[in-house]
Amino acid sequence: QVRLVESGGDSVQAGGSLRLSCTADWDAFRHNYVGWFRQAPGKERGPVAAIFTQSSGDPITYVVDWLKGRFTISRDTQNTVSLQMNSLKPEDTAKYYCAAGDLWSSQVFQANAYTYWGQGTQVTVSS
């Protein structure tokens, strides 16, 4: 069983930045994809970004098209993955979840492909 803990959520003004972190209680990220998803009130949980660390140590990153240029994902340590969010907009307001799992690259944006989930961290962006 993998335990994932998100942190870094906060309330910010539009245009601001936040860095979310996802920490696993063991080296769960070595052979797993790690994804970030978000869910706004009344909406379905949707993809944000994902990362996979190859055996060489080089990461492969994925960011949904509509967030490219503002959001980036990185693996900071052996068991920490971060989501850097810049130029935040009110529509980015949501609860952000970290997930991990053994899946195909074609599934990186599919929430139901991930096995392990954190409890989420709230991001609120005011105009």
Side-chain angles (χ1 to χ4, degrees):
Q1 186 70 22
V2 174
R3 181 170 176 261
L4 303 177
V5 179
E6 303 95 335
S7 62
D10 205 346
S11 296
V12 296
Q13 295 281 335
S17 297
L18 281 175
R19 188 175 183 87
L20 305 183
S21 292
C22 174
T23 301
D25 59 355
W26 62 287
D27 189 20
F29 299 157
R30 182 187 295 271
H31 299 298
N32 285 326
Y33 281 84
V34 181
W36 282 97
F37 292 78
R38 66 184 185 183
Q39 187 168 20
K43 295 188 177 181
E44 292 187 357
R45 190 171 298 187
V48 174
I51 189 168
F52 179 77
T53 304
Q54 303 177 90
S55 56
S56 64
D58 295 328
I60 303 175
T61 61
Y62 309 81
V63 179
V64 294
D65 288 344
W66 52 92
L67 296 176
K68 285 181 179 177
R70 295 198 299 124
F71 287 24
T72 57
I73 187 171
S74 61
R75 184 175 174 185
D76 298 336
T77 69
Q78 189 171 356
N79 60 347
T80 303
V81 168
S82 293
L83 180 70
Q84 178 66 41
M85 307 186 296
N86 298 326
S87 303
L88 283 162
K89 303 176 181 180
E91 51 263 43
D92 294 319
T93 294
K95 195 164 188 179
Y96 285 71
Y97 296 88
C98 172
D102 182 13
L103 45 105
W104 298 102
S105 60
S106 58
Q107 299 174 304
V108 294
F109 293 146
Q110 298 175 19
N112 60 8
Y114 289 80
T115 304
Y116 307 105
W117 288 85
Q119 295 300 306
T121 186
Q122 180 66 38
V123 172
T124 303
V125 185
S126 57
S127 57

